[in-house]
Amino acid sequence: MTEGRDLCDRSASELAELLRRGEASSVEVTRACLARMDALEPRLNAYLTRTDDLALEQAARADERIASGDAPAVAGIPLALKDVLSTRGVRTTCGSRILETYVPPFDCTPWARLSEAGSVLLGKTNCDEFAMGSSNENSAFGPVRNPWDLDRVPGGSSGGSAAAVAAGEAVWALGTDTGGSVRQPAALCGVVGLKPTYGLVSRYGLIAFASSLDTVGTFTRSVRDAAVLLQAIAGKDPMDATSLPDPVPDYLAALTGEVRGLRVGVITEAFGEGVQPAVAAGVRAAVDRLADLGADVGEVSLPHTDYALSAYYLIAPSEASSNLARYDGVRYGLRVEGRDSVEMMARTRGAGFGPEVKRRIMLGTYALSAGYYEAYYGQAQKVRTLIIRDYDAAFARYDVLVSPTSPTTAFRLGEKVDDPLAMYLSDVFTIPANLAGVPAISVPVGLDETGLPIGLQLTAPVLREDLLLRVADALERELALDLRCPAIAGQGQSGA
Amino acid sequence: MAGGYETVIGLECHVELSTATKMFCGCRNEFGAPPNTNVCPVCLGLPGSLPVPNERAIEYIVRIGLALDCEIAPRSVFHRKNYFYPDMPKNFQISQYDLPVCVNGHLDIEVDGEVRRVGITRVHMEEDTGKTTHGSASGRIHEADYALVDYNRAGVPLVEIVSEPDIRTPEEAGAYLRELRATLEALGVSDVRMEEGSLRCDANISTRRVGEEGFGVKVEIKNLNSIRSLERALRYEQERQRAALEAGETLVQETRHFDEDRGTTHTLRSKEEAFDYRYFPEPDLPPLEPDRAWVEALRASLPELPAAKRARYERELGLRPEPAVLLASSTVQAAFFEEAVALGADPVAAANWITQDLAGMLNKAKVELAEAKVTPRHVADVVRLVADGTISATGAKQALEVALETGEEIEAIVEARGLRQVTDTAALAAWVDEVIASNPGPVEQYRAGKQGVLGFLVGQVMKRSGGSADPRAVNELLRERLSGG
């Protein structure tokens, strides 16, 4: 499907085949990605740290392994990691001044598994500071630009990973999704974004934003690639007490292309006020195609969706206020000296955190304080239970649920920075899945009138990633979109 | 009015568990290692690290709960206790809040021969913090110009045991802490060394009028580094509170620091300065739901606890309460005692030898019983040889002292040092005559009717015999010679 394109613009599955047949090498693919970065980074700012030398070294080793005939599916395919995922010996900043110089002494489990399997690390991608944001404008190191329109945001918080995959600066990438931070940027950048069930992928080494909501997710050019990448990182990790013990199924086997008789519930609340008409139309058109393929389509209500956003903005900041307490200048990262340790901590945090992080720390500290806990945190946990029940009821009638991923396509840089509430609304459809811990995927289903990608979100019950992938793959095949963002258009055979 | 006040005391004790590794990571849990050598990303709270509970620590806290007759919660939850302090790597402590592992237990203590029951409110699991050392040219904390933090202790499993306010006197508080220490020692879950901080205690104390149901204003006392300082601090605070109330002053709820050197307490912080810990459930850890069958198996495998041991010693072995309490409060001493009894020693005599003479010798030599060369066999032999008149008590003491030093067998020591008691009248008579001859003054006094001088003369004979004479025989012989004169 992507033949004739630069190596760095092809799908991982296609590249794996080329590598296996010896028609391309990992070093060549890696060089193509690095060349694309050279060309586009001055404009995109998707990477915070490049690891060119490491990547070429790993690529050379992967080539030897592939030549020996027994390499895992991810071997030799260049990858980008969101800069909240710890990498041993490679600076990991969380998009924050406070960790600008921090170099972890250990790998996060997802990267440890990929690295073991011969993956190639291109670098660490830009993101909203500590994954707090929906536009990537909260990075301390400047915003990422959307490769579909450089005046627009790539979404957030994993904006760098989404933009890199869309622009051929990486073949695939990992991000993190706490309230939509994989799915929303995937939608805004026209790539596939998968947020797995909470606990399916280890959080060990994922620098926490909100521990009970954080998940590691994938950015890929195809649903098939998502299945392959998820396969490589999923499964119980003894280092994460919340990781699930369940055996991991064969995700590729789920890609049957068959959706006949599958019950698809369209979420009523997701087509109301505030949804861009082109987005609603694009998603509905895609649902019609699923019906054409034999899916059994109906409407379903998630009545507590309205409260999800409020509950999220109490739970996530509460946990964040505690998770981010460790950045105090005592052991690592930025330190601003003071007369005593209290002043040193206060000055370090004052200088090291950006305004959105401070806003959420204050919000969370307040919500947990004596006398307010029950009214805020306690109440939000009750809403969370109601949302889980909404899903339980919906999944009693439907196999998967459908909504737009984001109410709008990519918005302009600066458009919402002064209005946090408007910014928070862009995650209104993605947040409920995090609160309930269920898996969801965003797949591109077309372009709006200005040529910006539209994302459709599918949600499935806990640990039914197989269903998500099956439906998303069938839809992808049926739509057969040939998405190519304008930023790439001028690149020609740059990797050659 | 005298006796019009009643003191109400509750204790919060922290116990470091003696597990091989820390609470949430695989680092070694040991005291005294070079600073920052037993650390890893988890106990240093590095970004992205996650806690995984130590199963052995959970087993230990359940054993503690069972020993204190607590209910073991079918579901308990870890909470985060949030506050900023440089020796806390995450600036929150993983602890427990409203759903601890153990609740509603009790500990029976014995004070002046009377048994009192002290309620246990809760026993919960948490992690210890690191240790800060302030440094400056002058060595004074408030002039410190740098601080060094050692994170070896950070993440060591810590159990907090909170008593009900059932304690009424400083002596009862001391007895509670001794009993708790003995119980934990018997369970083998902690080193319980207050001087190394593996057992720490804070006291809550208030004063009310006798007969009153409600509580007075509560004061928390910190920095209690031994059972002795606990009792001293409480005695001081009890008097301070009573004096204040009698003078018509109002007490304030506060935390006070015990000054070991002065024996007084002073204000550390008031209620208004208390922290808001912003407790919330630890999202990185699932709830603890101990398997009931496992809990019952642990209950069945509990060792004999000090209270039961004490009762058995008194009931079955005929010990008086005092030696029974002493022996039962130390696992090592109790085992030593029971082995001596098993070797045939009379229990009452063996108990006295172990808790008095031997304890004194060990103390003087600064040797722990567990590491000493003296064995239960030595004690059993001493008891037997004294009983059958082979050696005198004085000779026995000497023999035991030698055994402690060299580990030689008692009988060999007795022979080598000539400690065998001399009852042979001819030999005794010679010593008696010498003493009478060389002490004309006392002899004269005795004959004038001053019976008390006899003891002095017996002592002189014993001295001359090098402790080998049988004091009873000497006594008789002296009386005989002096009256016959």
Side-chain angles (χ1 to χ4, degrees), chain B residues 266-343:
Chain B
H266 62 259
T267 301
L268 198 64
R269 59 176 176 266
S270 72
K271 188 192 175 192
E272 286 70 32
E273 294 165 285
F275 298 112
D276 176 358
Y277 292 120
R278 291 175 285 119
Y279 280 100
F280 76 105
E282 166 56 277
D284 289 330
L285 293 169
L288 287 176
E289 293 172 343
D291 178 65
R292 295 324 285 177
W294 177 70
V295 170
E296 289 315 311
L298 288 180
R299 191 196 301 277
S301 70
L302 285 183
E304 183 181 41
L305 298 174
K309 198 165 270 187
R310 199 162 58 223
R312 180 164 62 85
Y313 288 174
E314 291 180 31
R315 200 179 55 241
E316 292 176 17
L317 302 179
L319 264 52
R320 285 180 301 104
E322 201 187 327
V325 166
L326 283 171
L327 286 175
S329 69
S330 154
T331 316
V332 175
Q333 237 184 19
F336 189 95
F337 164 70
E338 294 195 18
E339 204 181 324
V341 172
L343 289 167

Side-chain angles (χ1 to χ4, degrees), chain A residues 202-340:
Chain A
S202 170
R203 288 185 295 118
Y204 190 74
L206 152 57
I207 300 180
F209 159 18
S211 315
S212 75
L213 302 161
D214 289 343
T215 56
V216 176
T218 62
F219 290 94
T220 55
R221 300 214 176 100
S222 73
V223 175
R224 172 165 291 266
D225 285 2
V228 173
L229 193 49
L230 178 64
Q231 195 83 51
I233 60 173
K236 176 71 185 170
D237 176 12
M239 298 299 280
D240 177 358
T242 64
S243 81
L244 300 171
D246 307 63
V248 179
D250 179 354
Y251 295 119
L252 275 181
L255 308 184
T256 57
E258 185 59 73
V259 294
R260 210 179 303 269
L262 219 70
R263 298 166 303 165
V264 176
V266 179
I267 301 172
T268 313
E269 287 80 5
F271 292 87
E273 215 181 314
V275 179
Q276 188 183 319
V279 169
V283 171
R284 288 216 184 269
V287 171
D288 289 344
R289 303 290 285 274
L290 282 175
D292 293 346
L293 289 171
D296 198 351
V297 177
E299 287 248 331
V300 63
S301 170
L302 296 177
H304 296 98
T305 302
D306 277 358
Y307 305 106
L309 199 65
S310 314
Y312 175 86
Y313 276 101
L314 287 168
I315 293 168
S318 293
E319 293 180 8
S321 71
S322 175
N323 284 331
L324 272 61
R326 71 191 66 195
Y327 308 111
D328 58 9
V330 173
R331 290 158 299 272
Y332 48 81
L334 180 71
R335 175 188 286 184
V336 183
E337 297 291 350
R339 275 180 314 229
D340 53 26

Side-chain angles (χ1 to χ4, degrees), chain A residues 86 102 105-106 198 203-207 211-212 238-242 319 322-323 325-328 330-332 341 345 349 365 368-370 373 377, chain B residues 41-42 44-53 79-80 82 84-92 149 151 276 278-286:
Chain A
S86 302
Y102 172 66
F106 66 101
Y198 181 81
R203 288 185 295 118
Y204 190 74
L206 152 57
I207 300 180
S211 315
S212 75
M239 298 299 280
D240 177 358
T242 64
E319 293 180 8
S322 175
N323 284 331
R326 71 191 66 195
Y327 308 111
D328 58 9
V330 173
R331 290 158 299 272
Y332 48 81
S341 64
M345 288 184 186
R349 293 166 67 79
T365 303
L368 290 176
S369 58
Y373 179 90
Y377 192 80
Chain B
V42 176
L44 284 177
L46 290 191
S49 65
L50 293 171
V52 177
H79 271 68
R80 287 188 186 176
N82 295 284
F84 282 85
Y85 206 79
D87 65 17
M88 248 196 344
K90 305 182 292 290
N91 284 321
F92 63 77
V149 195
Y151 292 103
D276 176 358
R278 291 175 285 119
Y279 280 100
F280 76 105
E282 166 56 277
D284 289 330
L285 293 169

Side-chain angles (χ1 to χ4, degrees), chain B residues 320 322-323 326-327 333 348-364 397 400:
Chain B
R320 285 180 301 104
E322 201 187 327
L326 283 171
L327 286 175
Q333 237 184 19
V348 173
N352 288 341
W353 276 106
I354 293 167
T355 60
Q356 291 171 25
D357 301 287
L358 184 56
M361 290 173 203
L362 289 163
N363 203 14
K364 202 172 145 202
K397 225 181 261 186
L400 206 53

Side-chain angles (χ1 to χ4, degrees), chain A residues 285-473:
Chain A
V287 171
D288 289 344
R289 303 290 285 274
L290 282 175
D292 293 346
L293 289 171
D296 198 351
V297 177
E299 287 248 331
V300 63
S301 170
L302 296 177
H304 296 98
T305 302
D306 277 358
Y307 305 106
L309 199 65
S310 314
Y312 175 86
Y313 276 101
L314 287 168
I315 293 168
S318 293
E319 293 180 8
S321 71
S322 175
N323 284 331
L324 272 61
R326 71 191 66 195
Y327 308 111
D328 58 9
V330 173
R331 290 158 299 272
Y332 48 81
L334 180 71
R335 175 188 286 184
V336 183
E337 297 291 350
R339 275 180 314 229
D340 53 26
S341 64
V342 173
E343 192 181 87
M344 185 266 282
M345 288 184 186
R347 284 187 176 174
T348 298
R349 293 166 67 79
F353 290 137
E356 182 61 26
V357 171
K358 285 178 185 166
R359 178 158 36 236
R360 297 202 197 186
I361 288 174
M362 284 189 279
L363 192 61
T365 303
Y366 185 77
L368 290 176
S369 58
Y372 296 99
Y373 179 90
E374 268 313 312
Y376 294 119
Y377 192 80
Q379 199 64 18
Q381 289 293 4
K382 286 177 195 158
V383 169
R384 193 167 183 178
T385 304
L386 294 175
I387 285 167
I388 292 171
R389 287 194 196 143
D390 274 3
Y391 277 113
D392 287 344
F395 288 128
R397 294 169 54 208
Y398 295 98
D399 297 306
V400 292
L401 308 180
V402 174
S403 70
T405 305
S406 168
T408 67
T409 52
F411 45 92
R412 289 185 186 282
L413 279 156
E415 194 178 321
K416 298 181 181 177
V417 279
D418 297 325
D419 188 353
L421 284 180
M423 187 74 89
Y424 295 173
L425 275 171
S426 76
D427 293 329
V428 68
F429 302 141
T430 47
I431 279 170
N434 296 87
L435 289 172
V438 296
I441 193 169
S442 178
V443 282
V445 289
L447 302 177
D448 72 2
E449 61 281 7
T450 57
L452 294 169
I454 297 166
L456 172 148
Q457 175 177 247
L458 292 162
T459 309
V462 163
L463 289 177
R464 292 310 305 272
E465 278 77 6
D466 61 325
L467 267 182
L468 277 187
L469 292 164
R470 178 170 146 204
V471 179
D473 169 64

